[in-house]
Amino acid sequence: MSEQGGNEKRSLEVAEAARESAWQRPSFVGELFMGRLRADLIFPFPEQGEADRRAGDEILERVRAFLAEKVDADRIDREKEIPPEVIEGLRELGLFGIKLPEDYGGLGLSQVNYNRIIQLVASHCASTAVMLSAHQSIGVPQPLKMFGTDEQKAKYLPRLAAGAMSAFALTEPEVGSDPSSMTTVATPVEDGAAYLINGQKLWITNGPVAELLIVMARTNDPAEERPEITAFIVEGSAEGLGVEHRCDFLGLKGVQNGLLAFKDVRVPKENILGGPGEGLRLALRTLNTGRLTLPAACGGAMKQAIAMAGRWAKERRQWGAPVGHHEAVAAKLATMSAETYAVESLTWLTSSLADREETDIRLEAAMAKLFCSEALWRTVDAGLQVRGGRGYETADSLRGRGEPAMPMERLLRDARINLIIEGTSEIMHLFIAREALDPHLKIAGASATSGKVDYQGAAKFYGLWYPALWLPRFATPGEVVLPRRLARHLRFVERGARRLARDLFHMMVLHRQGLQKRQMVLARLVDTGAELLAMSAALAKASSPRAHPGEEELADLFCRQSRRRVGDLHRAVYCNDDRFAYRTARQVLAGAYPWLKENILSTWDDGAGGP
């Protein structure tokens, strides 16, 4: 086996060992990929309880007032720092312990209310929202709640709830989505009573100012083929822990993010979280929960984009009419609104499912992150286009010449990172595809790392399952009662689920073990599932007794547009240029087209390589 092949196999084995292999609760998305629409899992729409809503309303009113009076988002963007008085005000509001139990000093709020708060903050200042989310969604509080001992919780949760900033340190300069190559090591000393951590961690949000960190480090001999990765709770003031560089980004200018260096940082054995070798499993489960927050933040930014673009489209007149009355602009506003409604539906569906704890939502959370981050980018891009030159102009510049200081360009800069953080869109496609394939691998008695198949068992299952996917259905799935204009879309989702399952099966048969490398095919199948999930969520929300006037129309428009995208994705599974495009990309990397670099000046190029 080649070195590259060996590394790929090792990376896959490490990832397989860390993933959750058991499915103890039903999954709506998991069932979709098997060709079954489990309408009972999301219909009726899981609305927030009245008492929980009132608790959220109370804190939201105070947060709104604080943001309006104390948080100057343009100043934060300009000066690249969240002022200390803002952070102190957030502490006084209890926003560093939103979901932490009251017994530990937290607010004890639900996932729904947590996301309501994050959405409000994100609509005003993305840097502040990311700081709060990185602290609570993936920082120390969440994994400590899930994996900590009673002693660890008693020691650290009160500090965190009171406002001790935290961070999650996994990524390294040479290690991103593949942790099997992690180089940060934790060496046991003092007869195993403590560990010394050495290495670097990159792009650690809140890292430069964190009082507490979750640090992932290798605890076995680096010479061993498979790493044992362990999670440690590390004090930010620990001797040997330093900030080598604070990173500066396209957006999120106020976020403290940097390159951290660990030089013989001593950590007591008692600070191991979840047990030795459980670091990657802890990280994956933490991210599964953390991803629930990102759709809420996306929704807040999308609503802001609609508010700015809508006002401009109504007030600005060209050729004798408001620009929003011209079809080219109207089409953008309509799609922005429809996609925002879908994001809202996904946000509150997944949040409510998380609170109820009756379903396995790892796929729903990942798919919501994927769909909502992509929808956000499309929406802010369209919003900037509607605003034209004023969309490209900074809020400070607009204010300086006497116009409303609409921060559309900041909104766009801040939005782009969402397609990267907590799993890039490309990684999300692979993660979701792997989980979607899991039932088939179990049926065939195979694994993702071997080609062994139980042909007899597979034939017995697929001989009944596959033909049933072609049988027509005439009733509305799950006997769900919907308005006529929406019922037809739910029937499409049911048909789409069966076709998705057939397409996945066809690709398994066609590519076999090689399917894992057909990443574009897998991405189309996953995107199809995401569209079906978003349609289902929108239909469920629009049919709720609490639905606002106009929700039915927005759900109808979204489903109309989504159905066209699903059709395009289905055709592209079978008819595409993937192999030709891949060969062309390899040629680019091999330097086959040097003239593509002619007549440019690359001051960054050190001549070390590249096509």
Side-chain angles (χ1 to χ4, degrees), residues 388-406:
R390 288 170 175 82
Y392 195 69
E393 190 173 1
T394 68
D396 284 338
S397 178
L398 290 165
R399 186 184 297 109
R401 57 188 186 82
E403 292 204 18
M406 296 184 185

Side-chain angles (χ1 to χ4, degrees), residues 14 179-180 182 184-186 188 195 216-222 224-232 272 275-280:
V14 170
S180 68
M182 185 174 293
T184 297
V185 296
Y195 288 79
M216 298 292 170
R218 183 167 183 161
T219 48
N220 63 341
D221 188 335
E224 293 188 29
E225 184 177 2
R226 290 180 58 176
E228 175 188 84
I229 297 174
T230 301
F232 295 87
I272 290 178
E278 293 296 311
L280 280 187

Side-chain angles (χ1 to χ4, degrees), residues 82-164:
I82 300 174
E85 60 269 23
V86 170
I87 295 176
E88 185 57 35
L90 296 171
R91 287 192 177 108
E92 292 174 0
L93 286 168
L95 298 192
F96 281 83
I98 298 174
K99 291 195 300 176
L100 291 181
E102 294 178 276
D103 291 345
Y104 294 106
L107 296 180
L109 296 181
S110 64
Q111 181 71 41
V112 171
N113 280 331
Y114 172 64
N115 279 355
R116 292 174 71 192
I117 293 170
I118 294 297
Q119 183 178 86
L120 175 61
V121 177
S123 74
H124 178 64
C125 179
S127 291
T128 303
V130 167
M131 181 266 289
L132 288 173
S133 178
H135 162 71
Q136 295 174 88
S137 297
I138 61 172
V140 178
Q142 187 62 38
L144 185 56
K145 277 176 56 181
M146 297 170 66
F147 297 96
T149 64
D150 291 341
E151 292 77 12
Q152 289 172 334
K153 292 176 183 178
K155 182 177 181 180
Y156 295 113
L157 287 183
R159 281 179 60 187
L160 294 161

